[in-house]
Structures are given as structure tokens and as C-alpha cells.
Amino acid sequence: MTSIHPKPSRPTRPRLALAIGTGGARAAAALGVAEVLAESGLVIDAVAGCGSGALVAAMIARGVEKEAAFAWLRRLWDPAIARRTRWLASLRLLAPLVSGFDEDFALRDDRRLVAELARAFGRMRIEELPVPLRIVVTDTLTGRPAVLRRGPLATALRASAATPFLYPGALADERRVSDGAQSDPLALVAVDDAQVTVSVGFAGSLPRRVDRPSLLIAQVGTTLVNNLSQARVEALRASGRPFMHLEPRFDRHIGRWETDALEELHQIGRETARRRVGEIRRLDEHARALATLPYTPPFTPRSPT
């Protein structure tokens, strides 16, 4: 993977930021997007993500080479980790008053995931990464998106993947948080200070047949996330800010846990970026030109007479 490490001097306000949405294994396509941007001389000043997009964003922020990133993604995005069941959860669900029910309820056991994240990232902190990383989570008290810019990286990644009902919430930045896809599935709130924003999103597929509770939950959740993502894209476009949204197209269905397709996803990401890199470069050049102009206040005060 072409290096995306920052230049020695990096502006406080990022000129070009990459936001990576949630999307299961498909989020790996963003590795190819970042690679093409770097090859084109476009420096990523900040990278953001939520859910699986946060995990990919962390790989980009660390400057991990492609094959090493694939190896870690295969290990961390493993259904064997994600499907460890809490056997007492069904009892708590069926008889909450008897067995107890609180905000820590979850159908899945996350202990192995926590252990694997700790193994992958150790004591690494978000603020120590070569490229500034911003991870989007949802504040469970307010329901609003929150952005993690500091603190243990493994903890932040665990928090961003805490899908309610399936996984328990987490404590991060002194607050209780859960999956960022509930409030900002494209992680755009994390890069609202960027002069140019490039987002990579992945519309979810609805189940063709709903014959069990989990598929009904998936149908409802996917519908909400897809519509929220589209609304965020349309709002940012309407704002007039320099913005490019990329949505890779897949010729076949790629499952949420299909890490065997990482190389294919990487190539699709590269192809998606190649088609739009000229437009992204023009946005970047425009932002660079504006940065050299003297500031003019929107209303020129009148001189006293």
C-alpha cells in the first residue's frame, strides 16, 4: 500500500479528509481508495470511520501496508468472534423482570473481540497515529454522534462496533457509547472542519426473505442506515462545501463477513477512486488556492464619518 503518512508539517484544519462508512467487509474497498489518492499526490490530512469503516480507517491512519492490513482484517472481522452467544441473554430477553434487564444487555459475547483488538493495537492511542484518526460513536444518553479523537485505539474501535441489542455498549471518553452507524453511518460529522471531504459509503442490501427475528432486525436497521446515509450526503452536497461521495459498485453480493474477498474489494475501491480522482484533485487545488487568499469578512464595516 502506498504510504499515506503525513508530511512533517500538517495544517490544524485538514485540507483533505477521508470518511469511511460502515459496511461490513466491503469497507475494505476504502483501502484501495486511499491508495489511489496517495498515488495521485493527494495527502490525506485526516481519516474517519465508524463500525467496520473505523477499523479500516485505523489501518490507513497507521500507514499499514495492504497485505498486513488484509491479515489483520481477516483476524478481526471474523464471524467466529462476532457470533459468540451469551446463553443467558435469551432468558433475560424473555423474562426481563425476573432475570434482570439493563443497558448492558447483549445477545453476543464480546470478550474475544476485545482480546483480539488489544492484541492488534496494544496500548496504541488515537492521538499518536501518523495520520489523525477520528472515530464516530453514538452517545447513548443523547442519541447524538460523538467523535473520539483521543484515548486507547482498541477501546474506541470496540465502542464503534457496539451494535445495540447484539453487543454491549462501551465506555469511551468518559461517556457510554455505542455503534456510530445509529447516528452518522458515513462518519461525516467527524470531518466537518475539512476543506475537502471524500466519503466512501456502502448501501446495505435488504434481506429478500424475512423468516426469523434476526432478519427482521436486519431489515429495519439496514433501511434506517441507508436512508440516514443518503440524507447526510444530500445535506452536505446542498451546503456547497467541497465534497465527493464515492459508493463502490459490486457485481455480486458480498457478505458482511466475506473477508475472502478482500483483494477483490481492494481492486473495486481502486477502480472507484480512479474514475473520480481528477474531480477530487480539482477540489483539492481549489481549496489550496482559497487558502492563499486574504480573508475578507462577509460584511465590510463602514468607516466612521
Side-chain angles (χ1 to χ4, degrees):
M1 185 174 181
T2 302
S3 174
I4 56 170
H5 286 285
K7 295 179 179 179
S9 177
R10 180 178 293 277
T12 303
R13 179 188 178 192
R15 186 169 70 241
L16 177 63
L18 178 65
I20 306 170
T22 187
R26 294 176 301 162
L31 293 171
V33 172
E35 198 172 81
V36 169
L37 294 180
E39 291 169 355
S40 302
L42 294 165
V43 177
I44 298 172
D45 294 309
V47 59
C50 76
S52 59
L55 184 57
V56 173
M59 298 294 172
I60 294 172
R62 289 183 66 186
V64 177
E65 297 297 320
K66 182 185 76 171
E67 294 304 326
F70 285 0
W72 279 116
L73 289 173
R74 290 189 184 100
R75 188 174 190 92
L76 292 167
W77 203 252
D78 182 349
I81 294 177
R83 295 172 182 168
R84 290 171 62 91
T85 302
R86 283 182 166 185
W87 296 110
L88 292 179
S90 297
L91 176 62
R92 296 177 66 187
L93 186 62
L94 295 173
L97 297 180
V98 176
S99 58
F101 191 98
D102 56 26
E103 60 185 1
D104 285 322
F105 173 81
L107 292 173
R108 306 299 188 202
D109 186 330
D110 69 337
R111 287 177 294 181
R112 185 174 169 189
L113 173 61
V114 171
E116 290 293 347
L117 285 170
R119 178 178 177 181
F121 300 104
R123 297 183 178 180
M124 192 175 300
R125 297 182 64 83
I126 297 172
E127 64 270 24
E128 296 171 350
L129 296 171
V131 176
L133 173 66
R134 302 165 182 187
I135 295 177
V136 174
V137 294
T138 299
D139 188 317
T140 60
L141 184 61
T142 66
R144 301 289 298 169
V147 181
L148 304 179
R149 303 168 186 253
R150 303 179 61 83
L153 178 55
T155 299
L157 292 172
R158 160 66 185 83
S160 189
T163 305
F165 198 73
L166 292 179
Y167 303 104
L171 292 175
D173 198 22
E174 300 183 349
R175 58 183 136 185
R176 188 172 185 81
V177 299
S178 59
D179 185 4
Q182 302 170 84
S183 54
D184 189 0
L186 288 175
L188 289 172
V189 69
V191 291
D192 59 2
D193 60 336
Q195 297 177 46
V196 178
T197 300
V198 176
S199 64
V200 188
F202 311 91
S205 300
L206 298 177
R208 296 180 179 180
R209 180 181 179 185
V210 176
D211 55 5
R212 55 184 183 273
S214 61
L215 290 178
L216 179 59
I217 293 172
Q219 182 188 63
V220 174
T222 301
T223 299
L224 292 173
V225 168
N226 284 351
N227 281 286
L228 179 56
S229 295
Q230 187 61 34
R232 295 285 287 128
V233 168
E234 291 175 358
L236 195 50
R237 284 174 175 161
S239 72
R241 291 173 49 194
F243 170 62
M244 177 68 65
H245 179 63
L246 305 177
E247 191 159 317
R249 301 298 179 185
F250 307 98
D251 294 332
R252 65 178 184 86
H253 174 73
I254 295 179
R256 180 173 180 80
W257 306 102
E258 199 173 333
T259 53
D260 289 343
L262 288 177
E263 184 62 52
E264 177 185 356
L265 291 164
H266 174 264
Q267 289 302 318
I268 291 173
R270 285 185 60 85
E271 292 165 6
T272 301
R274 283 197 195 105
R275 287 193 291 269
R276 309 298 295 276
V277 72
E279 297 172 70
I280 298 170
R281 186 182 292 109
R282 286 191 289 274
L283 289 174
D284 183 69
E285 291 170 352
H286 180 64
R288 188 191 300 269
L290 289 178
T292 64
L293 297 177
Y295 173 71
T296 302
F299 299 99
T300 304
R302 295 178 60 184
S303 300
T305 57

